[in-house]
Amino acid sequence: MATYAECLTIVREVLGEYLEPGQTAGENDALVADLGLSSLQMLELVVEIEDQLDISLPLNQLPDVRTVHEFAQMLESVAGGAQP
Amino acid sequence: MSLLEKFAPLNKMRTDLLEYGSLPFGVVTERIISPTIGIVHGRETILAGSNNYLGLTFEPSCIEAAKAALDAEGTGTTGSRMANGTYSTHHALEQELAAFFDRQHALVFTTGFLATMGMVSTLAGRDDVLLIDADSHASIYDGCRLGGAEIIRFRHNDPADLEKRLRRLGERSANTLVVAEGLYSMLGDQPPLEAIVDIKDRYGACLLLDEAHSMGVFGAHGRGLAEALDLEDRVEFVVGTFSKSLGSVGGFCVSNLPELDLIRMAARSYIFTASPAPSVVASTREALKLIATRPELRERLWRNANQLYSGLQESGFQVGPQPSPVVAVFVDQAELAIEWWHQLLDNGIYVNLVIPPATPSTSCLLRCSMSAAHTTEQVNKIVSSFADLRSENRVAGSAV
Ligand SMILES: Cc1ncc(COP(=O)(O)O)c(C=O)c1O
């Protein structure tokens, strides 16, 4: 179980590894358009977060994720209630 | 017309590529001479990017069979397998495929793409899960989208990641179809099939193995990787194509599960398209016999594959992780890859240029595929033409 706030923290933490030194990820930043992530980096980011939360993110939902906020929201929906 | 605006980046890519001379995609073979030689840009060219693994496209017995079928059955069936498009020869091909793979059931589709896409989308429905290798072919990805199942990827060739994801699914692992390929078509690497099979069995999942590039290439009878590793009984569904080692066009699925026969009435890519032309069915049936009875074709293929792989490696190129009939050369910079591709063609060598996102990494690939029909001299010429690229440019091919 993870709350939205916890999910947001994780996303921002992991994202930090992909950003330039000094750059931070705002909640409303778009992962590709604002933060400049490549599609390969997006893939790595997803895998790292999946491992941290011990979940699998369905590919069906990923295209809907554009911003840090949407990512955290999606994580909450998968990690929030679905776990036994 | 904003509908068409999305094509602007493609147009730019095409324009940029044309600055190097001709377009490297959709190259016209002005005349095809043999399985390994064609006339391209007016020049005799060695075809080293064709998937013609056993070199059967000009096999006299296959050509004879196709001609006889044209005379006897006409040019096309004009209908679906479900309607008027199942001739006795389609039925015979299915029986022969089942016998070849030593399975109870076989289904013939019009292309391999339609076979894989149709099987993936039909086997896994709304409440099911598809667990696919991240480097899967487009036909697998498209099948995933169509079926409405939950789609999860596991890291390429990583059984530990597969296991983790099956564990996370809990009871739903029993409703899961795991999908892998027998030989990955870009880098020529094989999956750790035994580990994958052990894990999916432990979690009660099913496995669909796409042997598109491995049929005719592995196994004592040429049945593919599952045969070579003695795992056939534990692979529920095998799909494949007639368009590579069998030298024609079409696709299939084989299984011991009786439900495969019901998929005839459920797979949209089987139902809503015309069946393969009789001439195609006839040459495929003939080629299937040759795969089984001429193991020397496989030996020649592997001899050529090993020669090319070690030759390119010794010339200092970074190649795929293991020797295989698909030999991929990594080139970091796109400009260099495109230049090299043109130099190879000018030198009478055709290979495939693959640029991201069609590649598994950010590198470009000069992808070569070997055939049993290549001669030692042809393989030597391919290697020396590659070696010339490095001496001319003195720029390293580089890393993944
Ligand atoms: C893994 C895989 N599956 C399916 C196909 C499709 O085969 P076909 O050419 O028969 O449509 C290919 C061909 O590129 C492939 O590589």
Side-chain angles (χ1 to χ4, degrees), chain B residues 1-52:
Chain B
M1 267 197 286
S2 52
L3 175 72
L4 304 180
E5 270 169 18
K6 57 173 126 4
F7 297 111
L10 272 181
N11 194 33
K12 173 162 186 336
M13 186 180 89
R14 188 174 60 179
T15 311
D16 291 348
L17 283 170
L18 277 170
E19 288 194 357
Y20 293 80
S22 62
L23 203 61
F25 304 120
V27 175
V28 176
T29 303
E30 287 130 24
R31 195 154 61 84
I32 182 84
I33 292 174
S34 76
T36 61
I37 299 176
I39 306 291
V40 180
H41 295 179
R43 188 181 301 109
E44 191 169 299
T45 300
I46 299 175
L47 304 175
S50 69
N51 308 312
N52 198 348

Side-chain angles (χ1 to χ4, degrees), chain B residues 54 290-303 372:
Chain B
L54 299 183
L290 298 178
I291 283 200
T293 54
R294 291 180 54 192
E296 68 273 15
L297 292 175
R298 246 179 322 286
E299 283 160 27
R300 283 220 297 274
L301 170 66
W302 276 99
R303 188 196 59 203

Side-chain angles (χ1 to χ4, degrees), chain A residues 38-40 43 46-48 50-60 62 83, chain B residues 132 134 141 144 148-153 155 161 164-165 167-168 357 360-362:
Chain A
S38 69
S39 55
L40 213 68
L43 227 151
V46 167
V47 170
E48 202 171 325
E50 286 177 321
D51 278 351
Q52 282 214 11
L53 286 170
D54 199 22
I55 55 170
S56 292
L57 293 175
L59 204 57
N60 323 48
L62 286 177
Q83 299 294 304
Chain B
I132 68 171
Y141 272 102
C144 286
E150 185 170 315
I151 311 156
I152 296 170
R153 284 184 291 199
R155 284 189 183 121
D161 196 50
K164 219 165 19 185
R165 292 173 189 278
R167 174 179 53 72
R168 288 170 187 162
S361 71
T362 51

Side-chain angles (χ1 to χ4, degrees), chain B residues 83-144:
Chain B
N84 62 308
T86 296
Y87 293 1
S88 63
T89 45
H90 295 92
H91 190 61
L93 173 55
E94 284 178 342
Q95 290 181 323
E96 287 158 12
L97 272 169
F100 174 79
F101 280 99
D102 198 15
R103 303 255 182 181
Q104 302 280 315
H105 308 277
L107 229 64
V108 165
F109 292 74
T110 304
T111 71
F113 193 103
L114 293 177
T116 306
M117 188 184 77
M119 288 306 301
V120 169
S121 59
T122 311
L123 281 170
R126 293 234 152 263
D127 300 321
D128 305 319
V129 182
L130 281 159
L131 198 35
I132 68 171
D133 186 287
D135 285 359
S136 286
H137 187 257
S139 55
I140 296 171
Y141 272 102
D142 286 4
C144 286

Side-chain angles (χ1 to χ4, degrees), chain B residues 67-329:
Chain B
K67 283 181 179 165
L70 271 171
D71 286 338
E73 297 170 75
T75 51
T77 67
T78 71
S80 155
R81 294 292 317 271
M82 265 287 258
N84 62 308
T86 296
Y87 293 1
S88 63
T89 45
H90 295 92
H91 190 61
L93 173 55
E94 284 178 342
Q95 290 181 323
E96 287 158 12
L97 272 169
F100 174 79
F101 280 99
D102 198 15
R103 303 255 182 181
Q104 302 280 315
H105 308 277
L107 229 64
V108 165
F109 292 74
T110 304
T111 71
F113 193 103
L114 293 177
T116 306
M117 188 184 77
M119 288 306 301
V120 169
S121 59
T122 311
L123 281 170
R126 293 234 152 263
D127 300 321
D128 305 319
V129 182
L130 281 159
L131 198 35
I132 68 171
D133 186 287
D135 285 359
S136 286
H137 187 257
S139 55
I140 296 171
Y141 272 102
D142 286 4
C144 286
R145 288 206 201 111
L146 285 178
E150 185 170 315
I151 311 156
I152 296 170
R153 284 184 291 199
F154 61 94
R155 284 189 183 121
H156 177 55
N157 280 352
D158 186 339
D161 196 50
L162 171 66
E163 164 138 44
K164 219 165 19 185
R165 292 173 189 278
L166 276 167
R167 174 179 53 72
R168 288 170 187 162
L169 284 170
E171 282 176 8
R172 297 180 72 207
S173 67
N175 274 45
T176 298
L177 181 70
V178 177
V179 183
E181 297 176 29
L183 179 71
Y184 283 88
S185 59
M186 287 298 122
L187 301 188
D189 50 338
Q190 299 161 34
L193 191 60
E194 188 163 5
I196 290 175
V197 165
D198 282 346
I199 291 164
K200 70 91 190 160
D201 278 349
R202 210 172 315 137
Y203 286 87
C206 271
L207 175 65
L208 180 137
L209 184 65
D210 188 338
E211 299 254 32
H213 291 265
S214 37
M215 180 187 187
V217 169
F218 298 119
H221 301 86
R223 297 206 288 254
L225 189 66
E227 183 194 17
L229 300 178
D230 199 14
L231 292 167
E232 288 176 292
D233 290 347
R234 297 165 67 199
V235 176
E236 283 82 5
F237 298 95
V238 169
V239 290
T241 174
F242 306 150
S243 73
K244 306 189 193 299
S245 56
L246 291 165
S248 64
V249 66
F252 67 89
C253 179
V254 294
S255 176
N256 281 329
L257 295 168
E259 286 79 5
L260 183 62
D261 231 29
L262 298 173
I263 286 180
R264 285 183 204 280
M265 293 185 285
R268 294 167 67 83
S269 71
Y270 177 88
I271 300 169
F272 295 102
T273 193
S275 63
S279 53
V280 164
V281 171
S283 79
T284 305
R285 290 176 66 191
E286 205 48 43
L288 194 59
K289 283 187 212 154
L290 298 178
I291 283 200
T293 54
R294 291 180 54 192
E296 68 273 15
L297 292 175
R298 246 179 322 286
E299 283 160 27
R300 283 220 297 274
L301 170 66
W302 276 99
R303 188 196 59 203
N304 289 340
N306 287 321
Q307 189 192 339
L308 182 67
Y309 186 85
S310 56
L312 290 176
Q313 216 171 23
E314 282 157 21
S315 307
F317 287 98
Q318 163 144 21
V319 288
Q322 62 192 126
S324 114
V326 174
V327 183
V329 170

